[in-house]
């Protein structure tokens, strides 16, 4: 601890995702937990010597999200909590006497756990509460309520570990001393090896990669990206290391492939991007006149008459000039356009678009003809047209002091002759602006001066998340589960599952609702019990995981794999 540069990797495994760890230094052992994931249906607790040797599985049944490992060193018990199964368990360090210590409705996603003198302390991830269980009388006390989410909790007590330290008393090491059941051993930091009583650099040492051979490991954030994305001009690592041209960088001397073009010194782009009318290289060599004047297009491409660009045949006669300025040879006069279907609208440029796209405030035709004469869709006797919103509103909303069109056109060119009416309009207009919400659909806007936006799941949850408590107004005395912002009374009788739900879909709401992987972590609450959101959704585990062969979906417990329709998981 006196020199943080002495750092050694004791266990390395690309599929190794430890969640919680606890040490038993007197015995020279360490224990850690691993959550269930898309490739491992069950969680587990493992242990090894503190030098990483003799790794074994300690508990692997009846676990989902084991976390918060803590040891009672006097009675030799290992305790843990399960954030998915909502229970706290213990087992003897000899592997016997497993027992459920506490479970039930008083547990709500326990995350961190700590033992101290017959007391268990734990944090509840979503509620933000710190709870205490007296193991002698089995009573629970809420110690504190903090801002969610809460993670680990620790109790520091000098009396939990007493006696001598073998590393200090019997062995002197140059860098690291690691305890093991057979006695302490000396070790060196990564890249070094022991030579008698000293540590010397290890020849030809390469830092272990977290990524497979087909991927590149980013330098700073250690993400894994496909080798195809290295030196492609895009910062896929988000730390710049996959595009680094510095000495020793990934692109310092990277050769381009047979189907690539080199520019900007070390930059490689696809040959299809050369002379395509878009400047993909900073030095512009991919679109230089010298390069493009003599280029020969492939048989599968169309050659523009003046610019000599090579474009896909699908771009010819598509009502859009793709050959560049002054060259419309891809939109020749003899273009034959297909007739539009009855459910389509034909633009002036002969393009066909769905009727639903007409008068929707978007130029889908790319010539503006789908947004012309849109006011004709309204009944002029009883309605007026909002051009920005592409909607018709009642005629009596015109000049009523309230902007019903987002561009305010229904309140334009209004004549106010009465001073009192003008004051009334001004007051109503200000109040309307004050009440206007800029929050997302899944958010609630507080009524206080901050006008803050909070998630709708926090409304009527028994806690004041707004400064003025407006999120808890007009709520029943007892918080009830909410879905999509609509609160419904909680069921008083347990439901039994009759839903046919096959993997990788999963059940929620006590087994009464089946949701697809696409509904997980999509910021919409599809389950009344809210179990399809939160937890690890914000971690973007799929961005770092390579365990799914096809489709990866972020999930509250990490990630879920799925397959295209013609394949299945195995």
């Amino acid at each position: 601890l006196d020199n943080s540069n002495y750092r050694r990797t004791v266990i390395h495994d690309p599929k190794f995702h430890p969640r919680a760890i606890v040490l038993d230094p007197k015995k020279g052992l360490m224990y850690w937990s691993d959550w269930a994931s898309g490739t491992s249906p069950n969680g587990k607790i493992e242990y090894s010597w503190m030098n990483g040797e003799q790794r074994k599985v300690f508990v692997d049944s009846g676990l989902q999200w084991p976390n918060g490992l803590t040891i009672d060193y006097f009675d030799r018990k290992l305790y843990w909590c399960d954030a998915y199964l909502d229970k706290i368990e213990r087992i003897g360090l000899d592997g016997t006497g497993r027992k459920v210590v506490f479970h039930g409705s008083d547990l709500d996603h326990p995350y961190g756990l700590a033992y101290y003198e017959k007391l268990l302390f734990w944090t509840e991830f979503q509620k933000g509460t710190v709870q205490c269980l007296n193991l002698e009388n089995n009573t629970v006390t809420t110690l504190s309520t903090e801002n969610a989410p809460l993670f680990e909790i620790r109790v520091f007590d000098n009396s939990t570990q007493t006696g001598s330290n073998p590393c200090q008393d019997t062995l002197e090491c140059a860098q690291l001393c690691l305890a093991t059941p057979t006695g302490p051993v000396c070790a060196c930091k990564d890249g070094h090896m022991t030579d008698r009583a000293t540590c010397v650099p290890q020849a030809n040492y390469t830092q272990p990669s977290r990524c497979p051979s087909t991927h590149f490991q980013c330098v700073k954030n250690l993400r894994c990206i496909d080798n195809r994305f290295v030196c492609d001009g895009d910062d896929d690592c988000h730390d710049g290391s996959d595009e680094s041209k510095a000495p020793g960088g990934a692109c310092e001397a990277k050769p381009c492939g047979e189907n690539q073009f080199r520019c900007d010194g070390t930059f490689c782009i696809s040959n299809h991007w050369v002379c395509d009318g878009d400047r993909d290289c900073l030095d512009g060599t991919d679109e230089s006149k010298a390069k493009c004047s003599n280029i020969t297009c492939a048989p599968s491409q169309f050659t523009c008459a003046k610019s000599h660009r090579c474009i896909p045949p699908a771009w010819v006669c598509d009502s859009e000039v793709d050959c560049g300025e002054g060259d419309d040879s891809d939109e020749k006069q003899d273009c034959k356009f297909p007739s539009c279907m009855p459910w389509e609208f034909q633009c002036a440029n002969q393009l066909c678009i769905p009727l639903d796209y007409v008068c929707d405030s978007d130029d889908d035709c790319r010539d503006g003809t789908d947004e012309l004469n849109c006011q004709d869709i309204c009944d002029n006797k009883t309605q007026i047209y909002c051009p920005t919103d592409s909607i018709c509103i009642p005629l009596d909303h015109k000049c009523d002091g309230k902007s019903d069109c987002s561009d305010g056109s229904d309140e334009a060119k209004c004549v106010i002759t009465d001073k009192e009416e003008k004051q009334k309009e001004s007051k109503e207009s200000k109040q309307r602006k004050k009440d206007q919400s800029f929050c997302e659909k899944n958010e609630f806007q507080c009524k206080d001066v901050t006008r803050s936006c909070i998630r709708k799941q926090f409304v009527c949850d028994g806690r004041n998340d707004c400064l003025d408590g407006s999120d808890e107004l007009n709520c029943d005395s007892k918080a009830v589960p909410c879905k999509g912002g609509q609160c419904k009374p909680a069921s008083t009788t347990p439901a039994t599952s009759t839903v046919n739900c096959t993997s990788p879909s999963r059940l929620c709401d006590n087994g009464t609702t089946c949701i697809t992987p696409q509904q997980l972590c999509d910021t919409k609450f599809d389950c009344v019990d809210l179990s399809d959101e939160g937890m690890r959704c914000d971690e973007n585990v799929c961005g770092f995981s390579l365990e799914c062969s096809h489709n990866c979906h972020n999930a509250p417990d990490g990630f879920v794999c799925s397959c295209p329709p013609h394949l299945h998981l195995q």
Side-chain angles (χ1 to χ4, degrees):
L1 293 177
D2 58 349
N3 191 337
S4 60
N5 290 323
Y6 296 158
R7 179 176 176 179
R8 180 179 180 83
T9 303
V10 293
I11 296 179
H12 176 261
D13 183 348
K15 296 183 179 180
F16 181 50
H17 306 292
R19 299 293 300 181
I21 188 170
V22 66
L23 306 180
D24 188 3
K26 282 190 175 182
K27 297 297 183 181
L29 300 174
M30 56 182 179
Y31 300 80
W32 64 88
S33 65
D34 201 349
W35 283 14
S37 64
T39 57
S40 178
N42 298 312
K44 60 184 175 181
I45 297 174
E46 297 182 82
Y47 76 98
S48 75
W49 292 7
M50 289 181 64
N51 64 352
E53 297 179 2
Q54 303 297 318
R55 176 182 174 184
K56 296 179 181 178
V57 175
F58 191 51
V59 183
D60 63 352
S61 64
L63 299 177
Q64 285 293 314
W65 298 349
N67 217 54
L69 302 185
T70 185
I71 292 178
D72 173 3
Y73 294 99
F74 183 78
D75 289 333
R76 308 299 297 163
K77 306 287 186 185
L78 173 69
Y79 289 82
W80 72 87
C81 58
D82 196 306
Y84 184 86
L85 300 177
D86 286 340
K87 62 182 179 180
I88 299 174
E89 294 188 78
R90 76 180 181 197
I91 192 173
L93 293 179
D94 59 359
T96 63
R98 181 176 176 180
K99 178 183 177 180
V100 175
V101 177
F102 193 72
H103 68 96
S105 59
D106 289 332
L107 275 178
D108 186 0
H109 293 290
Y111 194 94
L113 185 70
Y115 175 89
Y116 174 70
E117 294 186 351
K118 304 297 181 183
L119 299 174
L120 280 177
F121 304 88
W122 72 86
T123 58
E124 295 186 324
F125 178 85
Q126 292 181 329
K127 280 186 174 180
T129 53
V130 179
Q131 307 277 44
C132 175
L133 170 67
N134 188 318
L135 294 172
E136 292 184 334
N137 57 25
N138 209 38
T139 58
V140 177
T141 305
T142 300
L143 300 181
S144 177
T145 301
E146 307 293 338
N147 290 329
L150 291 188
F151 295 95
E152 294 289 351
I153 185 172
R154 290 286 184 266
V155 173
F156 295 94
D157 177 25
N158 290 334
S159 64
T160 57
Q161 305 244 7
T162 58
S164 61
N165 185 342
C167 281
Q168 186 176 15
D169 298 338
T170 63
L171 189 63
E172 290 188 8
C173 299
Q175 292 185 355
L176 297 170
C177 180
L178 304 176
T180 72
T182 59
V185 295
C186 289
C188 299
K189 67 178 183 179
D190 288 337
H192 290 68
M193 58 186 296
T194 56
D195 182 10
R196 297 178 184 176
T198 61
C199 290
V200 296
Q202 186 175 346
N204 301 321
Y205 173 77
T206 302
Q207 182 76 21
S209 175
R210 300 171 62 250
C211 309
S213 58
T214 56
H215 285 67
F216 171 81
Q217 180 173 297
C218 304
V219 174
K220 295 182 180 179
N221 56 32
L222 304 182
R223 290 183 60 189
C224 299
I225 65 170
D226 195 291
N227 285 335
R228 296 174 300 169
F229 302 146
V230 178
C231 302
D232 67 346
D234 293 326
D235 183 9
D236 301 286
C237 280
H238 304 299
D239 64 7
S241 59
D242 59 315
E243 302 299 324
S244 174
K245 303 172 186 175
C251 304
E252 179 187 15
K254 181 179 175 63
C256 295
E258 294 181 1
N259 298 319
Q260 291 182 316
F261 173 79
R262 179 184 292 276
C263 60
D264 297 336
T266 59
F267 186 29
C268 301
I269 65 171
S270 171
N271 283 335
H272 295 297
W273 296 1
V274 179
C275 299
D276 66 346
D278 292 324
R279 183 171 171 172
D280 302 289
C281 300
L282 295 177
D283 59 13
T285 54
D286 61 316
E287 299 299 323
S288 66
K289 291 184 179 180
K291 178 71 177 175
C292 300
S293 59
N294 299 318
I295 194 169
T296 301
C297 298
S300 60
Q301 294 178 310
F302 173 82
T303 304
C304 296
K306 297 180 181 179
S307 65
H308 302 290
R309 289 181 183 174
C310 303
I311 64 173
W315 293 7
V316 178
C317 294
D318 65 348
S319 302
E320 188 172 352
V321 176
D322 301 289
C323 282
E325 186 176 356
D327 187 352
D328 59 355
S329 56
D330 59 314
E331 299 301 318
K332 45 194 176 184
Q333 298 295 324
D334 58 345
C335 284
K336 295 181 180 180
F337 297 96
S339 301
C340 296
M341 302 301 291
W343 55 84
E344 292 179 319
F345 172 82
Q346 188 163 34
C347 308
N349 58 17
Q350 307 303 315
L351 191 66
C352 298
I353 65 171
L355 287 175
D356 292 341
Y357 291 1
V358 178
C359 294
D360 64 350
S361 300
D362 289 326
D363 184 9
D364 301 288
C365 284
R366 299 197 291 271
D367 63 6
T369 54
D370 58 314
E371 300 300 318
L372 295 177
N373 304 316
C374 291
Q375 63 273 14
D376 294 343
I377 65 176
C378 300
D379 183 353
N380 294 330
K381 296 181 180 179
T382 60
Q383 296 176 317
I384 59 172
Y385 179 68
C386 295
T388 302
D389 308 306
S390 300
I391 59 173
C392 301
I393 63 173
L395 185 61
D396 58 7
H397 287 193
K398 173 73 174 176
C399 297
D400 64 349
K402 300 178 183 179
S403 294
D404 299 285
C405 300
S406 61
D407 61 356
S409 57
D410 58 313
E411 299 301 314
K413 300 180 181 179
C414 295
V415 180
I416 302 177
T417 56
D418 186 79
K419 182 178 180 180
E420 224 173 29
E421 186 65 27
K422 184 176 182 180
Q423 291 175 343
K424 178 182 177 183
E425 177 194 355
S426 177
K427 182 177 180 181
E428 290 180 347
S429 178
K430 288 180 180 179
Q431 182 63 34
R432 186 174 183 84
K433 288 182 179 179
K434 181 180 178 182
D435 294 338
Q436 185 176 5
S437 174
F438 297 95
C439 300
E440 300 292 338
K441 292 181 179 180
N442 63 336
E443 293 179 326
F444 170 84
Q445 186 169 49
C446 300
K447 306 300 182 184
D448 55 46
V449 293
T450 67
R451 315 296 290 167
S452 301
C453 300
I454 65 172
R455 295 173 66 176
K456 283 188 177 180
Q457 73 174 99
F458 296 154
V459 178
C460 297
D461 65 350
R463 291 185 58 197
N464 290 337
D465 298 285
C466 298
L467 293 178
D468 61 352
S470 54
D471 58 311
E472 299 302 318
L473 296 177
N474 303 318
C475 299
D476 294 333
S477 59
K478 182 179 179 181
V480 296
C482 297
K483 181 176 183 179
Q486 300 295 322
C487 292
K488 301 180 181 180
S491 175
T492 57
T493 58
T496 57
S497 174
T498 58
V499 179
N500 181 19
C501 196
T502 58
S503 179
S505 298
R506 58 174 59 184
L507 290 167
C508 61
D509 298 340
N510 200 21
T512 61
T513 303
C514 181
I515 60 173
T516 64
Q518 290 80 6
Q519 293 175 281
L520 299 171
C521 298
D522 63 351
T523 70
K524 300 177 183 178
F525 290 106
D526 301 287
C527 299
V528 175
D529 60 12
L530 312 182
S531 61
D532 57 313
E533 303 295 328
M535 297 298 288
R536 302 181 66 188
C537 284
D538 294 333
E539 295 183 25
N540 186 25
V541 179
C542 285
F544 302 90
S545 175
L546 302 171
E547 298 184 19
C548 296
S549 63
H550 287 77
N551 304 326
C552 182
H553 311 272
N554 290 314
D557 57 334
F559 67 93
V560 176
C561 299
S562 69
C563 299
H566 63 287
L567 299 175
H568 65 275
L569 282 174
Q570 64 177 15

